[in-house]
Amino acid sequence: MGSIEATGVQRKEATPPYLISSLSTGVSAELVEAFFETNPLNSNASQKIMLSLAPVEVVYHSKTIIELVRCFTLPPEMQLSKLQAATLATFNEWKEQSAAGLQHLIDTRGEVDININFLAPYILIPQGGALAKNGSVLIFDLGEIQVKSKARDREKWDKIEQAKKTKEEIRQEVIDKSYDSFLVTLKDFQVLFALAGDNYRTAIQKANNASQGSSGMTLIKSDQFVVQLDQCLVQDDPQLPKLKLSATLPLLDLVITENRFLELMKLLVTLPFPKSAPISDSNLKNDADLAESVAVTHIAYTEVTGKRDLDTVAQFTELVVFFTISSIRIRINRVLSGKKLSPLAEFELRTFQSKMTQKTFSLGVDVSVGGLTLIASTHTAPGFKLGELFLLRTPMNQEHLFKLAFFSISSDCPPKFATQVKQSIKAEVSTVDVILHQEALHTLINFATQITDALSTALDAPDSTTAIQPALFVLKKEDKKQLSKFEATRKAVAKKHQDSKDVLLQFNAHLHRLTVQLSTEQKNILRLVLGKLDVSFAQRPKKSTMSMELTEFELLNLDPNGFYKKIISQQLEKVIYVQCKLYEGATLGLDYQDVTKHDMKLKVETGSPRVVYLNPFLEEVMDFVNKFQTAKDAMVDASTAAAEKATESIEQAYSGGTRALIDIEFKAPHIIIPRNAESPSGFIAYLGHLSVKNSFKKIQAGDNGGVVIIDDIHTVLQDMKMNRILVDNETQEAIVECSVLDPVTLRLNIQRNLGVSWFNDIPSIHIKGEMARTSVRCSSEDYEILMAALTENISSKSPSVPEPRKVETSTNKLEVKTKAIVSRQGSRIAAEDEEISILIPPKQPDKAFCTLKLELILEQTSLVLYEGSSELDGKIGLVGRNERTAFAKFTIGNIDVGVLLFTNGNMTCTTCIGSTTLEDIRPGERQITSLIHRKSDSQLNVEQAKPFGQSVIIVNYRTDTATKQGTTLNIEITGMTFVLCLEYLLQLAAFFTPTSQSQKALPEPEIFKFEEFNAPGEPGPIREITPPKPKLKNDDDEETDEAEMFKIYFAVGETDVILVETVERLDTNGLLLNCELMLKQTTEGGKTNTMCSINKIRLCTCKYDPGNRGSSLAEVISPMSVTVVMNNSILIGTLIDINISDIYVRLTAGTLELLIKILSTSFQSTSSGNVVGENRIDYTDIWNIKSNKDSNFWFLDPDVNVELGVDALVSPDEQVVRLFDVAEELVRKERLVLESGCIVLTFETGPGNNTTPIVLIETDIDLQAFDWSQKFQLTGRMKLEAAYYNAVFGMWEFLVEPVETRHHGKVSHRPWELYFEVSTVECTNVAPNSKSTRRISASGDHIEDIENLTDEHTKSPTYMSISFQSNDILELTLTKTALDVMNMLTADFQEAVKSLVSQREVMTSAYSVTNDLGTDIKLGKFF
């Protein structure tokens, strides 16, 4: 044949495109040359075939291919099913005939000598499916193909025996000689990609000429590709594969530039393919002819094979395929200016091997990969040179990196050849190192985004036709078909093999080691190490088993300057082990009442990893993750979807009453919380050992004899504790520990009702919990480090995190679905036994029932406080506390919590807190040690003590959504006794006061804006700008029609607060304050009504001794009450009404003496320097010269606050206006009204409690306040009366004379009255430049001015106005007797003060000199 040409479909006004054309080689003018000879004289073969071909050029033309497919597509009217039926009818007959004559064909078969040599064709795939000048072209140059047969080795049998080989060696040699071998060699294979304007023919010639090198269009070039085909001569031996195929590719090297890669992807994705018309499987299955033919064929084949002896059936190896690639390298270059190439990324795969074994009834595939590397050539990181940054790296010198073994038997496999495992998948990964480099990933992501955008643009091009489909979609469909075929085979095998020992599907995966590192150009952040991960799955006919085991897990901090290198480290041999067994139909029918059978078994075992919490480290990780928002969003979406799926599965399992046998042994991690990233001091939390086990039991369900299964779950959390530690820098282990939280044990008993859908007399879930006694020990150093850890580590400034997207998720509520469906229990029992289905009939509940019942008891909790340090320095191991430094013990009795949750949404929660005490446990003898305790029953009323029992606080929380009664919160506190000693209170305050070192890392204060209210040129006071009021909701807003009501009731019984002089003696003097408190608040529809009353307020002096307290009582303030009513609404504002009853105050010298004694004890403790945490002012820099600006003295500030006053004198011409008349005319949204009863203050003199009043002052105050959040105004009235007792005449005489009034001729007297008003007044005559806005600086030590603010940020300057007014004349009457009374009262009070001064410690020296100059002082000899 001289030449061949083929043209395609002609387009409009264009020449027909060439599909196939001959190429001239210059060697021979013929296209095809063939030679055939039988029984050649120069060869032992029976036939000799020689063939040579010249190259041709093949061009892919999409339109022509589409028309060809349409041409050969069968019309719809043809009955394809009949053709298939005829084929199936004759298939088995042909199979029998070929098998009968197969042996004779092998015996008479001769040897064939084949020698085929031809230049392979060029295959051109143009862009868009049509060859054009302005389009790119993908060229496949297949080079030279040689096919040769391998001569048989005709060595005789006697020569093989003379070699004296073993039987196995002889057998293997005979097997090797039992094949006809053919070698197919592909030389000079190459792939080129030409862009528009490139001369690809010149590039092909240049590539073929090795001396000229390769052009930039060459993508892949391989020297040799060898394929060997071996055909077995013995077809009836099951041990010999009938056909063996092996292929070897030494190197596959792909080098491409960035722009060419982009164009290549566009060509492949947009390459048109013909759409194949889908053939409905249902049409074939439902066709009568086909169904009949298949049935007849199956019966005939079964009858024939049934007559045979099963022993004669053998399984042959039909095909064995070996494929090996020594190396695959892909390098992507970037074109720079001047056409220079810069490497972008390089990928290499080392030693790819695959083997497929096809047998008569099984298929096996083995795949292995030697190594993988991915290099980011343009980036670097600490520890890597430029061009050596491996984003993915595996050991390249090991035998295998990845192994995959797949095995499957066919659905028609006889039991004789069926193995116990029907289908199996085994995967093994040795070692993989991954580096997630921030800049390199950004480069690759940008490159991928560029490709994606270009492909999207190409797919959305307007010239795309609907009669074609891209090649990428075709590949996806093929993948789906393969998966569907695999799933269909698995189901078919599962239906045939029902033996409990058979394994239908087995999956095993092993990961030896995985390392993931986060890095940037400047630093390495972390390294995550996973080692020895095993995952397995085994499916049997009635049982499925899944397991996962992780042996190594480690997270390292790669900061070279970091103190903590191991963030997460492993302490035990095993990190986690999970095993789950699923049993199909284990509790159906009669097995429902068998509590020993289960639907699922879950076993979990974990190690105890050590975790170091470092917030700065987490911030670096979050900063790294936030750079990849798209990937982060994808992870959030995947997590949300997985959570929804898990929630749905749990709800289904719960509603279906699934029996799950649980065995969990969770050794919780040890969490170290250091003070900061560089400090060895911190805390370690041992989260204990969690054990969860369950069992099942039966209970009777009502009177009908039904049975309900109860899942009884026992949970125990043991040895949960917390210690203060010091960490060693080298070993990263705690070298010394001190207990902060003693070991705690929590026990939970959970009972789950599996028949809740039809039996709800018991709750769906009933939880009973009990926590053992808890003891916390904390020193002042521990508290300081804890506060420092909160500011320096836990609460350090977090990076800016983008706002998460709102994802619609299904609500996860613990409720039981009460739809009209048949329960799983009822259906599973009724399936097999009608009598049992009658015993437990499924029914639908007609009322709300309890879904959750919680009963939790927390035993006594105590907190012991210690002074000073924990004394850990220089010690090793567990260190005890120094009990001599303990000074306080706070104890809370049992806490009982009860919760009931119903299906209609109602909930009831009750919490009872036992006795609460505070004890003074300082060393030494003290008669008063109980500082906070509950009153005894004898001190309380019977009605008050009865509902509390032994509790101190009772909290009731109730929601009633069914009847729309809203939410109610009741808090009741019984009578308590608080003993206050100022010296002890200062010690407690010093304990909780942070030092300057712990305050150094506090967050920066917020900046507040302030306005000045001053007249022009005058300084004025400053107040904070009031924030704008919240906007009112419109009528169209949702959730405004039905607002839930919320009620609060808070009550405190009669409580005693005693301020004692000292705690050393039981008979010490003190001040006793007792009162009751009651608060009610109701919120509904944006309105809040509050009423608060404080009753039985009384202040007395007394002895602390409870036995003598009643007889030593002396009232200072007689019983009184205060009532506050507040109404708050968005529309009407805030209204507050305060009502105070009559107040009687008695002041004596003894009371003053007692107050001075109490205060003197605190002064002595402060002056002695025993207060913990006292800070002295440092005066070492007192002699240094400082600037006034740096000193920031208040008196040097030109804008210092100056009180503004207005002349209170009123001219006679001005009209007097009553202030209350002005207030009544104003309409206010904020209003406060205070009305007080009579306030009587008496000064008494005399010894002890036998005192006599000598001075009396009586007054009452009424006032109103308005708009305190914007323009504050206050108006009020005060009445005043004063008198003294004249002992000579035995009568009271006025100091402040009453005002005489006349009404209808009658003379009466009233107290003197004073009116007052406080308001903010706007200045109208103010210069425009007088407006200024000020704010507190970041350091908080001075005020900064802010200029250039708009008018909307400033307001008119205002000042505070205070005015007093009285229409009455104040008459004071002073007599000699009154002055004598005053002197007597003054002398009595001074004597009390002097007696205390005389009792104080008097210093022996006249002066005390303290050196705060910052330098030493030397005194010379002056005497």
Side-chain angles (χ1 to χ4, degrees):
M1 182 184 296
S3 62
I4 184 174
E5 289 184 359
T7 57
V9 178
Q10 181 179 1
R11 293 186 177 182
K12 295 182 179 180
E13 300 179 357
T15 59
Y18 282 96
L19 301 181
I20 301 176
S21 60
S22 303
L23 297 179
S24 177
T25 59
V27 179
S28 175
E30 299 297 334
L31 177 64
V32 180
E33 294 183 357
F35 175 79
F36 176 76
E37 182 179 3
T38 58
N39 297 322
L41 298 178
N42 56 352
S43 176
N44 294 326
S46 59
Q47 296 178 355
K48 186 175 183 180
I49 302 174
M50 299 180 63
L51 179 66
S52 63
L53 300 175
V56 295
E57 184 179 86
V58 180
V59 180
Y60 177 83
H61 190 258
S62 61
K63 190 174 182 180
T64 303
I65 300 299
I66 293 172
E67 294 298 331
L68 287 174
V69 172
R70 290 178 179 176
C71 177
F72 291 101
T73 300
L74 294 176
E77 59 272 10
M78 292 193 63
Q79 298 181 3
L80 181 60
S81 60
K82 292 185 177 181
L83 297 178
Q84 294 180 346
T87 303
L88 290 173
T90 58
F91 173 75
N92 289 301
E93 181 181 358
W94 171 84
K95 183 176 181 180
E96 291 298 322
Q97 291 178 355
S98 59
L102 182 60
Q103 186 63 38
H104 176 72
L105 179 62
I106 294 174
D107 295 337
T108 58
R109 181 178 177 180
E111 183 179 357
V112 181
D113 185 6
I114 300 177
N115 188 1
I116 301 176
N117 189 1
F118 62 92
L119 299 178
Y122 300 94
I123 301 176
L124 277 63
I125 302 178
Q127 184 178 5
L131 193 61
K133 294 182 180 180
N134 57 352
S136 56
V137 181
L138 180 63
I139 306 105
F140 290 91
D141 182 7
L142 301 183
E144 183 180 357
I145 300 178
Q146 295 181 356
V147 180
K148 293 184 178 180
S149 60
K150 189 177 180 181
R152 297 180 185 174
D153 189 0
R154 299 181 178 274
E155 188 176 3
K156 300 298 182 180
W157 179 258
D158 52 359
K159 293 184 179 180
I160 297 177
E161 290 182 342
Q162 293 176 1
K164 296 182 180 180
K165 298 180 180 181
T166 61
K167 292 183 179 180
E168 183 63 27
E169 292 176 348
I170 296 175
R171 177 179 174 278
Q172 185 63 37
E173 189 171 351
V174 172
I175 290 176
D176 295 339
K177 298 178 181 297
S178 302
Y179 288 90
D180 278 342
S181 300
F182 302 92
L183 295 178
V184 180
T185 305
L186 177 62
K187 297 181 179 180
D188 299 332
F189 169 78
Q190 60 180 347
V191 179
L192 297 88
F193 182 69
L195 299 176
D198 292 342
N199 190 348
Y200 63 88
R201 300 186 184 277
T202 305
I204 293 175
Q205 296 177 0
K206 185 177 180 180
N208 292 331
N209 191 352
S211 60
Q212 297 182 5
S214 61
S215 63
M217 289 180 282
T218 303
L219 302 182
I220 300 175
K221 186 174 182 180
S222 180
D223 295 336
Q224 189 174 12
F225 178 55
V226 180
V227 179
Q228 181 175 346
L229 178 64
D230 297 330
Q231 186 178 10
C232 185
L233 300 177
V234 183
Q235 296 290 321
D236 57 353
D237 190 351
Q239 300 179 359
L240 301 180
K242 294 183 179 181
L243 186 63
K244 295 191 298 184
L245 180 65
S246 61
T248 303
L249 181 62
L251 174 63
L252 185 62
D253 193 1
L254 172 62
V255 181
I256 189 172
T257 59
E258 185 179 8
N259 58 338
R260 289 186 183 271
F261 184 79
L262 178 60
E263 295 296 330
L264 176 61
M265 295 302 298
K266 290 170 60 177
L267 183 147
L268 296 177
V269 172
T270 60
L271 185 64
F273 274 83
K275 287 186 177 181
S276 58
I279 301 176
S280 177
D281 295 337
S282 60
N283 295 335
L284 296 179
K285 294 179 181 179
N286 297 332
D287 188 91
D289 297 335
L290 180 59
E292 181 181 1
S293 176
V294 171
V296 172
T297 304
H298 180 70
I299 294 174
Y301 180 71
T302 305
E303 292 178 353
V304 173
T305 55
K307 296 179 182 179
R308 299 181 181 177
D309 188 1
L310 293 177
D311 297 336
T312 61
V313 180
Q315 180 173 214
F316 295 92
T317 304
E318 304 291 342
L319 176 63
V320 178
V321 179
F322 298 91
F323 182 70
T324 303
I325 300 179
S326 300
S327 178
I328 299 177
R329 287 200 301 262
I330 301 175
R331 186 167 59 252
I332 301 176
N333 297 326
R334 177 169 291 176
V335 181
L336 303 178
S337 59
K339 296 184 179 181
K340 294 183 179 180
L341 298 180
S342 174
L344 177 64
E346 183 177 350
F347 172 79
E348 182 178 1
L349 183 147
R350 184 75 59 86
T351 313
F352 175 80
Q353 296 178 352
S354 64
K355 177 184 178 182
M356 184 189 73
T357 302
Q358 175 68 55
K359 294 185 178 181
T360 307
F361 303 108
S362 64
L363 173 65
V365 178
D366 295 329
V367 178
S368 63
V369 177
L372 296 173
T373 57
L374 177 61
I375 302 176
S377 305
T378 58
H379 297 278
T380 184
F384 295 93
K385 297 181 180 179
L386 185 63
E388 297 181 358
L389 178 60
F390 291 90
L391 301 183
L392 175 63
R393 180 171 60 179
T394 62
M396 306 296 286
N397 53 358
Q398 64 183 8
E399 183 178 357
H400 295 294
L401 164 69
F402 172 75
K403 288 183 178 180
L404 177 64
F406 170 78
F407 174 78
S408 175
I409 65 173
S410 59
S411 58
D412 58 346
C413 179
K416 176 181 178 180
F417 303 106
T419 58
Q420 186 175 359
V421 179
K422 312 307 177 185
Q423 290 182 343
S424 67
I425 301 175
K426 295 182 180 179
E428 181 179 353
V429 180
S430 60
T431 303
V432 179
D433 297 333
V434 179
I435 298 180
L436 301 179
H437 192 274
Q438 190 178 86
E439 290 77 9
L441 290 179
H442 271 295
T443 302
L444 296 179
I445 290 175
N446 293 335
F447 178 63
T449 303
Q450 181 182 0
I451 295 175
T452 305
D453 295 341
L455 297 182
S456 301
T457 304
L459 290 175
D460 297 339
D463 56 348
S464 60
T465 59
T466 59
I468 60 175
Q469 55 183 353
L472 184 62
F473 301 148
V474 176
L475 296 177
K476 290 184 178 180
K477 291 182 179 180
E478 293 297 328
D479 294 339
K480 292 182 179 180
K481 289 181 180 179
Q482 294 296 329
L483 293 176
S484 301
K485 185 178 179 181
F486 173 78
E487 183 66 16
T489 303
R490 188 186 65 82
K491 292 181 179 180
V493 173
K495 291 181 180 180
K496 185 175 181 180
H497 301 275
Q498 297 294 329
D499 191 355
S500 60
K501 297 181 180 180
D502 291 341
V503 180
L504 303 180
L505 176 62
Q506 181 172 338
F507 173 78
N508 294 318
H510 173 75
L511 174 63
H512 181 69
R513 184 181 179 88
L514 172 63
T515 303
V516 180
Q517 178 175 323
L518 302 185
S519 300
T520 62
E521 294 279 357
Q522 292 77 23
K523 63 180 301 185
N524 297 321
I525 300 177
L526 64 85
R527 179 181 292 119
L528 175 66
V529 180
L530 293 176
K532 297 182 180 179
L533 174 64
D534 293 310
V535 179
S536 64
F537 172 78
Q539 181 185 6
R540 291 179 171 83
K542 295 294 183 179
K543 175 183 175 182
S544 298
T545 304
M546 295 174 287
S547 65
M548 188 273 290
E549 182 178 0
L550 179 62
T551 308
E552 297 179 8
F553 182 84
E554 192 175 35
L555 182 62
L556 303 178
N557 181 11
L558 300 183
D559 186 2
N561 300 323
F563 182 85
Y564 295 92
K565 303 296 183 182
K566 296 181 179 180
I567 302 300
I568 300 178
S569 58
Q570 178 185 350
Q571 294 182 335
L572 299 178
E573 297 180 355
K574 186 184 301 181
V575 177
I576 185 172
Y577 172 76
V578 179
Q579 184 185 57
C580 181
K581 296 181 179 180
L582 302 176
Y583 300 92
E584 183 180 356
T587 58
L588 294 177
L590 295 176
D591 294 334
Y592 172 73
Q593 296 188 7
D594 189 356
V595 294
T596 61
K597 295 186 178 181
H598 319 94
D599 297 318
M600 180 177 67
K601 286 185 179 181
L602 178 63
K603 183 178 181 180
V604 180
E605 296 179 1
T606 63
S608 181
R610 196 195 69 164
V611 181
V612 180
Y613 179 85
L614 289 179
N615 198 57
F617 175 79
L618 296 179
E619 290 175 3
E620 289 186 353
V621 177
M622 292 305 300
D623 284 336
F624 185 93
V625 175
N626 290 335
K627 300 295 183 181
F628 307 96
Q629 189 61 33
T630 303
K632 183 180 176 181
D633 294 341
M635 293 176 61
V636 171
D637 295 341
S639 302
T640 304
E644 290 181 353
K645 188 66 176 178
T647 302
E648 182 180 357
S649 301
I650 293 174
E651 290 179 352
Q652 291 178 356
Y654 174 77
S655 60
T658 302
R659 295 189 201 173
L661 189 64
I662 302 174
D663 183 7
I664 298 177
E665 297 292 337
F666 182 77
K667 296 180 181 179
H670 302 167
I671 301 178
I672 296 178
I673 306 176
R675 175 170 181 168
N676 50 54
E678 291 80 20
S679 174
S681 181
F683 297 88
I684 181 170
Y686 299 93
L687 300 186
H689 181 192
L690 177 64
S691 176
V692 181
K693 299 179 184 297
N694 70 328
S695 60
F696 297 91
K697 61 182 180 180
K698 297 184 294 184
I699 64 173
Q700 296 296 325
D703 299 333
N704 57 0
V707 175
V708 176
I709 305 299
I710 301 299
D711 185 2
D712 196 359
I713 305 174
H714 299 275
T715 303
V716 180
L717 178 59
Q718 297 178 343
D719 297 335
M720 184 172 57
K721 60 184 179 179
M722 184 176 182
N723 293 344
R724 162 88 185 286
I725 62 171
L726 289 178
V727 180
D728 184 61
N729 188 17
E730 296 181 357
T731 62
Q732 298 284 296
E733 298 290 340
I735 56 177
V736 59
E737 299 185 25
C738 184
S739 176
V740 175
L741 174 64
D742 291 347
V744 180
T745 300
L746 174 63
R747 301 179 184 275
L748 293 177
N749 186 16
I750 305 173
Q751 291 185 352
R752 189 166 65 99
N753 181 10
L754 300 184
V756 68
S757 59
W758 60 274
F759 180 77
N760 46 64
D761 292 345
I762 61 177
S764 304
I765 297 178
H766 187 188
I767 302 176
K768 292 183 179 180
E770 181 180 354
M771 177 179 284
R773 180 171 299 182
T774 305
S775 179
V776 181
R777 308 172 188 271
C778 182
S779 66
S780 58
E781 184 185 19
D782 297 340
Y783 180 77
E784 178 184 350
I785 293 178
L786 178 61
M787 293 295 103
L790 291 175
T791 56
E792 300 175 18
N793 184 8
I794 300 177
S795 301
S796 60
K797 187 176 180 181
S798 301
S800 59
V801 180
E803 183 179 357
R805 298 178 302 166
K806 295 182 179 181
V807 182
E808 297 182 357
T809 58
S810 59
T811 57
N812 183 14
K813 296 182 179 180
L814 187 61
E815 59 182 9
V816 180
K817 300 179 180 179
T818 57
K819 298 180 180 179
I821 57 174
V822 180
S823 65
R824 181 179 178 183
Q825 288 79 7
S827 61
R828 66 169 65 180
I829 296 172
E832 298 185 6
D833 193 352
E834 296 181 358
E835 295 181 358
I836 299 180
S837 64
I838 296 175
L839 293 177
I840 311 178
K843 65 178 182 178
Q844 198 68 357
D846 53 356
K847 62 180 181 179
F849 59 91
C850 180
T851 60
L852 174 64
K853 183 178 181 181
L854 172 64
E855 298 177 2
L856 183 61
I857 300 177
L858 307 179
E859 295 184 5
Q860 178 179 328
T861 302
S862 62
L863 171 62
V864 182
L865 303 181
Y866 297 82
E867 285 184 321
S869 172
S870 298
E871 301 177 358
L872 300 183
D873 296 335
K875 297 182 180 180
I876 299 177
L878 184 62
V879 179
R881 295 282 184 178
N882 185 4
E883 298 299 331
R884 297 183 59 83
T885 61
F887 70 96
K889 182 178 182 181
F890 184 75
T891 305
I892 299 178
N894 292 354
I895 300 178
D896 298 340
V897 180
V899 179
L900 294 177
L901 181 64
F902 298 89
T903 54
N904 57 4
N906 294 354
M907 185 182 71
T908 302
C909 177
T910 302
T911 303
C912 299
I913 301 177
S915 60
T916 302
T917 61
L918 175 61
E919 299 179 21
D920 182 2
I921 57 175
R922 291 177 293 179
E925 296 183 359
R926 292 178 177 82
Q927 296 184 357
I928 304 176
T929 57
S930 180
L931 304 183
I932 298 178
H933 57 271
R934 181 180 181 269
K935 280 188 173 182
S936 62
D937 295 340
S938 61
Q939 295 176 330
L940 296 174
N941 297 333
V942 178
E943 296 180 356
Q944 294 179 350
K946 185 176 181 180
F948 285 91
Q950 298 299 322
S951 301
V952 174
I953 303 175
I954 297 178
V955 181
N956 291 319
Y957 179 82
R958 183 176 67 256
T959 60
D960 191 351
T961 59
T963 58
K964 298 183 180 179
Q965 295 296 324
T967 303
T968 303
L969 176 62
N970 295 338
I971 303 176
E972 299 182 20
I973 303 177
T974 187
M976 298 286 294
T977 299
F978 296 89
V979 181
L980 305 181
C981 179
L982 289 184
E983 178 187 1
Y984 192 75
L985 291 178
L986 291 175
Q987 190 172 359
L988 283 176
F991 181 91
F992 293 103
T993 302
T995 61
S996 58
Q997 294 180 356
S998 61
Q999 290 179 337
K1000 65 181 181 179
L1002 291 175
E1004 298 181 359
E1006 298 180 0
I1007 297 178
F1008 298 93
K1009 295 183 179 179
F1010 291 85
E1011 277 193 12
E1012 291 185 356
F1013 305 94
N1014 57 333
E1018 297 182 1
I1022 302 173
R1023 73 174 179 87
E1024 184 179 352
I1025 294 178
T1026 304
K1029 290 185 177 181
K1031 297 181 179 179
L1032 299 179
K1033 293 185 178 181
N1034 299 328
D1035 296 337
D1036 299 335
D1037 295 342
E1038 298 180 357
E1039 300 182 1
T1040 56
D1041 297 334
E1042 298 182 1
E1044 184 180 357
M1045 181 183 296
F1046 185 75
K1047 299 179 182 179
I1048 297 178
Y1049 175 78
F1050 179 75
V1052 180
E1054 187 174 352
T1055 299
D1056 295 341
V1057 180
I1058 306 176
L1059 181 61
V1060 297
E1061 178 183 352
T1062 180
V1063 294
E1064 304 292 338
R1065 303 185 312 275
L1066 190 63
D1067 60 346
T1068 182
N1069 296 321
L1071 288 174
L1072 172 62
L1073 173 67
N1074 52 7
C1075 62
E1076 292 180 352
L1077 174 64
M1078 188 272 293
L1079 172 67
K1080 293 181 180 180
Q1081 183 178 12
T1082 303
T1083 302
E1084 182 180 12
K1087 299 179 181 180
T1088 302
N1089 300 326
T1090 306
M1091 186 184 72
C1092 177
S1093 63
I1094 306 176
N1095 302 320
K1096 299 181 180 181
I1097 305 175
R1098 187 177 68 159
L1099 180 64
C1100 305
T1101 61
C1102 64
K1103 297 289 186 180
Y1104 173 78
D1105 188 1
N1108 300 328
R1109 186 179 303 172
S1111 60
S1112 62
L1113 286 176
E1115 286 188 352
V1116 178
I1117 300 178
S1118 300
M1120 57 168 292
S1121 62
V1122 178
T1123 302
V1124 180
V1125 178
M1126 183 180 69
N1127 298 323
N1128 188 8
S1129 175
I1130 299 177
L1131 298 178
I1132 65 175
T1134 303
L1135 303 178
I1136 303 175
D1137 188 1
I1138 303 176
N1139 192 302
I1140 304 176
S1141 66
D1142 295 341
I1143 303 175
Y1144 297 93
V1145 182
R1146 300 170 59 247
L1147 295 180
T1148 63
T1151 303
L1152 178 62
E1153 180 182 359
L1154 179 59
L1155 286 175
I1156 295 176
K1157 284 183 179 180
I1158 293 173
L1159 295 177
S1160 64
T1161 57
S1162 64
F1163 294 153
Q1164 291 177 4
S1165 62
T1166 305
S1167 61
S1168 62
N1170 295 330
V1171 179
V1172 180
E1174 179 183 3
N1175 296 325
R1176 299 177 59 88
I1177 302 176
D1178 186 11
Y1179 292 100
T1180 56
D1181 58 346
I1182 192 172
W1183 302 112
N1184 298 336
I1185 300 176
K1186 300 179 182 179
S1187 174
N1188 291 336
K1189 296 181 179 178
D1190 299 334
S1191 299
N1192 195 21
F1193 295 112
W1194 65 270
F1195 50 80
L1196 297 179
D1197 189 357
D1199 295 331
V1200 67
N1201 300 341
V1202 178
E1203 296 182 0
L1204 298 179
V1206 179
D1207 191 0
L1209 299 178
V1210 181
S1211 61
D1213 298 335
E1214 295 181 0
Q1215 184 180 1
V1216 178
V1217 180
R1218 294 183 68 252
L1219 299 178
F1220 281 100
D1221 295 339
V1222 178
E1224 291 174 358
E1225 296 176 359
L1226 299 176
V1227 179
R1228 305 296 184 187
K1229 291 189 177 181
E1230 294 174 340
R1231 181 178 179 180
L1232 182 144
V1233 178
L1234 185 146
E1235 297 179 358
S1236 66
C1238 180
I1239 303 175
V1240 180
L1241 176 63
T1242 61
F1243 293 90
E1244 302 181 1
T1245 182
N1249 294 336
N1250 299 322
T1251 58
T1252 302
I1254 58 176
V1255 177
L1256 183 145
I1257 299 175
E1258 181 177 349
T1259 182
D1260 62 44
I1261 301 175
D1262 298 331
L1263 61 85
Q1264 297 185 33
F1266 309 93
D1267 288 350
W1268 49 82
S1269 61
Q1270 292 183 352
K1271 295 183 179 180
F1272 175 72
Q1273 288 199 5
L1274 183 143
T1275 60
R1277 180 185 61 184
M1278 182 185 71
K1279 297 179 181 181
L1280 179 62
E1281 286 183 295
Y1284 69 95
Y1285 182 73
N1286 191 337
V1288 177
F1289 297 99
M1291 61 180 296
W1292 288 89
E1293 296 182 354
F1294 286 103
L1295 288 174
V1296 177
E1297 297 291 340
V1299 179
E1300 182 179 330
T1301 60
R1302 294 179 181 271
H1303 185 68
H1304 298 292
K1306 295 182 179 181
V1307 179
S1308 62
H1309 296 83
R1310 61 175 176 83
W1312 179 78
E1313 294 182 349
L1314 175 67
Y1315 298 91
F1316 55 89
E1317 180 181 12
V1318 180
S1319 62
T1320 56
V1321 181
E1322 294 187 0
C1323 296
T1324 56
N1325 299 324
V1326 181
N1329 57 0
S1330 64
K1331 293 183 179 181
S1332 63
T1333 302
R1334 316 177 72 199
R1335 68 179 180 183
I1336 296 178
S1337 65
S1339 60
D1341 55 357
H1342 65 283
I1343 299 174
E1344 301 175 346
D1345 293 334
I1346 303 177
E1347 300 179 354
N1348 300 326
L1349 291 179
T1350 59
D1351 292 338
E1352 63 181 0
H1353 296 91
T1354 61
K1355 295 182 179 180
S1356 300
T1358 60
Y1359 63 90
M1360 184 69 67
S1361 172
I1362 303 175
S1363 57
F1364 297 92
Q1365 175 182 328
S1366 178
N1367 298 328
D1368 303 327
I1369 298 175
L1370 178 62
E1371 297 182 5
L1372 300 176
T1373 302
L1374 293 177
T1375 63
K1376 183 177 181 302
T1377 305
L1379 294 177
D1380 292 340
V1381 171
M1382 296 297 177
N1383 292 333
M1384 182 178 60
L1385 184 63
T1386 303
D1388 196 5
F1389 278 80
Q1390 287 180 353
E1391 184 179 357
V1393 175
K1394 289 180 180 180
S1395 63
L1396 292 176
V1397 173
S1398 62
Q1399 295 175 4
R1400 297 179 185 176
E1401 297 180 359
V1402 181
M1403 301 180 63
T1404 56
S1405 59
Y1407 299 97
S1408 175
V1409 180
T1410 302
N1411 182 12
D1412 287 334
L1413 300 178
T1415 181
D1416 297 335
I1417 297 178
K1418 296 182 180 180
L1419 299 178
K1421 296 181 180 180
F1422 296 102
F1423 305 101

